[in-house]
């Protein structure tokens, strides 16, 4: 099975998320803005995990710590078994 199209889609999504997170964490937002609580609704498999205001910094950090590594693992799993990482 050729996984290259799926791998390319994951790679594009990972790059877009990384670019967005880097932009938010850099000089674009001040410390005060990053500490501002924003409404958050986090669902996982239909289950509510968070439904309350969360500092923007925590959302950005959570995405960087959970989503990016998770998508990276998905990409690595799509590599041919005989390729070097």
């Amino acid at each position: 099975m050729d996984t290259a199209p799926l791998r390319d889609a994951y790679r594009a999504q990972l790059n877009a998320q990384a670019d967005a997170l880097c932009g938010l964490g850099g000089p674009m937002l001040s410390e005060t803005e990053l500490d501002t609580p924003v409404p958050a609704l986090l669902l996982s498999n239909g289950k509510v995990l968070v439904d309350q205001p969360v500092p923007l910094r925590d959302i950005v950090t959570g995405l960087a710590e959970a989503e990016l590594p998770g998508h990276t693992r998905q990409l690595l799993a799509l590599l041919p078994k005989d390729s070097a990482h």
Side-chain angles (χ1 to χ4, degrees), residues 15 17 31 40 42 61 75 80:
N15 285 334
Q17 288 177 346
E31 292 296 314
L42 176 61
T61 301
L75 281 169

Side-chain angles (χ1 to χ4, degrees), residues 42-81:
L42 176 61
L43 304 171
S44 179
N45 296 319
K47 181 180 175 189
V48 176
L49 301 179
V50 175
D51 187 7
Q52 65 184 29
V54 175
L56 182 56
R57 177 186 315 278
D58 293 352
I59 294 172
V60 172
T61 301
L63 290 171
E65 291 176 351
E67 294 299 318
L68 295 179
H71 289 303
T72 300
R73 286 190 296 276
Q74 289 173 323
L75 281 169
L76 291 173
L78 292 173
L79 286 173
K81 300 298 181 211

Side-chain angles (χ1 to χ4, degrees), residues 8-56:
D8 291 344
Y10 277 136
R11 184 179 297 133
Q13 182 179 5
L14 181 63
N15 285 334
Q17 288 177 346
D19 289 345
L21 290 172
C22 287
L24 287 174
M28 182 177 261
L29 296 175
S30 69
E31 292 296 314
T32 301
E33 290 169 322
L34 287 169
D35 290 334
T36 301
V38 296
L41 177 61
L42 176 61
L43 304 171
S44 179
N45 296 319
K47 181 180 175 189
V48 176
L49 301 179
V50 175
D51 187 7
Q52 65 184 29
V54 175
L56 182 56

